[in-house]
Amino acid sequence: MTKQEEIQKLKKEKDAVILTHYYVRPEVQEIADYIGDSYFLSKKAVDMPHKILVFCGVSFMGESAKLLNPAKTVLMPDGKADCPMAHMVTKETVQKARERYEDLAVVCYINSTAEIKSWSDVSVTSANAVQIVKNLPNKNILFIPDKNLAHFVAEKIPEKNFIYNEGYCPVHEHMKAAEIRELKEQYPTARVLVHPECNSEVLALADYIGSTSGIIDYAANSPETMFIIGTESGVRYALQQARRDALFFFPGTEPVCEDMKRITLDQIIDVLKNGSSEMKMEDGQANAAARRTLERMLELAQR
Ligand code: 13P
Ligand code: SF4
């Protein structure tokens, strides 16, 4: 039996479904039941009838799935896969802003720990941040942890006052604008599609800025046949599936999220067989607050 066949068999036996992010290895995306961006995955996690959710992504994704589905078993194939940005804000930053601005809304990117979510008023993803923040009644917005997404959202909503935090995604922050420029010189007709976690110099070169799903949808529906992609290179798999006739170019220093790439087929087989690496979330006040922050996102994103 191949590893792929073994996973299919175990999934049926255990009543499990496999959810994966676009940044995981292609062979993991290939066996997934659902592949998506953070927003799609958080919505999907709520809809699944299965007893077990196998979450192929980093820990904040598994935490969010568990918070939204406390009765379900959430298995993380690699319990150490973590997003460094998800930790990049202190409670002091939030407290200080709350003291200073009476009508403050603390908006946390879903790429944050459950603890950070518990200090926040609403969660957002890159796919829904502009829509949600625009519709908040508050004028003052502390946007945590990502400074790049915060600036991108702030530019779209000039009527609000943004307070920034210094967090960033190392993969997107360190992308080199010079490498994107080189690609543009080589392929002048190519469209440049980038993720809002990128630094401002890279964002300035973009024809389109959006979440991983946004980038894939743009390429899927575009009449163009060449694209320069400014996000983690795991999206190549979905892009090629969507557009077999198109060419996709990534920066010379390939953007790779080492944490997302930790997840392997062997680990998936292992957690399915043994029920190991379960995401556990205590039933306390902090996690209840984190759950409300996520539920508020799901509610506001639908308006
Ligand atoms: P999206 O999938 O929401 O675009 O986010 C990208 C990301 O960095 C996830 O960790
Ligand atoms: Fe975190 Fe960046 Fe990896 Fe996404 S790509 S999980 S933001 S480190």
Side-chain angles (χ1 to χ4, degrees), residues 204-234:
L205 298 170
D207 294 303
Y208 170 80
I209 303 171
S211 74
T212 49
S213 292
I215 290 173
I216 293 159
D217 289 350
Y218 184 104
N221 298 309
S222 166
E224 305 293 333
T225 52
M226 284 200 271
F227 302 93
I228 296 165
I229 305 295
T231 192
E232 210 274 352
S233 58

Side-chain angles (χ1 to χ4, degrees), residues 97 101 104 140-144 150 161-165:
Y101 300 95
L104 187 79
N140 294 300
I141 308 290
L142 170 66
F143 195 107
I144 53 176
N161 175 43
F162 277 71
I163 301 117
Y164 302 98
N165 171 68

Side-chain angles (χ1 to χ4, degrees), residues 58-167:
V58 287
S59 54
F60 76 80
M61 297 181 167
E63 279 183 357
S64 301
K66 182 68 184 174
L67 285 169
L68 290 166
N69 299 277
K72 292 218 166 140
T73 301
V74 176
L75 302 178
M76 302 300 290
D78 189 309
K80 291 203 179 88
D82 196 3
C83 168
M85 175 166 61
H87 304 267
M88 288 188 193
V89 63
T90 63
K91 192 167 189 185
E92 201 193 349
T93 301
V94 176
Q95 276 169 339
K96 274 197 180 150
R98 287 218 190 267
E99 279 160 25
R100 174 144 186 222
Y101 300 95
E102 226 174 74
D103 82 325
L104 187 79
V106 180
V107 176
C108 73
Y109 191 20
I110 196 163
N111 295 39
S112 53
T113 62
E115 189 185 6
I116 292 170
K117 289 188 178 79
S118 77
W119 312 330
S120 306
D121 299 307
V122 62
S123 199
V124 294
T125 75
S126 50
N128 59 33
V130 173
Q131 183 202 339
I132 290 180
V133 177
K134 206 179 184 67
N135 289 324
L136 290 176
N138 320 61
K139 175 153 174 76
N140 294 300
I141 308 290
L142 170 66
F143 195 107
I144 53 176
D146 188 14
K147 61 176 180 179
N148 292 325
L149 181 62
H151 281 279
F152 169 73
V153 176
E155 250 179 56
K156 305 262 176 212
I157 318 176
E159 66 275 20
K160 303 232 181 219
N161 175 43
F162 277 71
I163 301 117
Y164 302 98
N165 171 68
E166 280 306 305

Side-chain angles (χ1 to χ4, degrees), residues 21 23 58 60-61 82-86 109 111 169-172 197 232 257-260:
H21 191 268
Y23 295 164
V58 287
F60 76 80
M61 297 181 167
D82 196 3
C83 168
M85 175 166 61
Y109 191 20
N111 295 39
C169 159
V171 179
H172 291 86
E197 286 174 13
E232 210 274 352
C257 176
E258 300 293 347
D259 281 274
M260 289 282 194

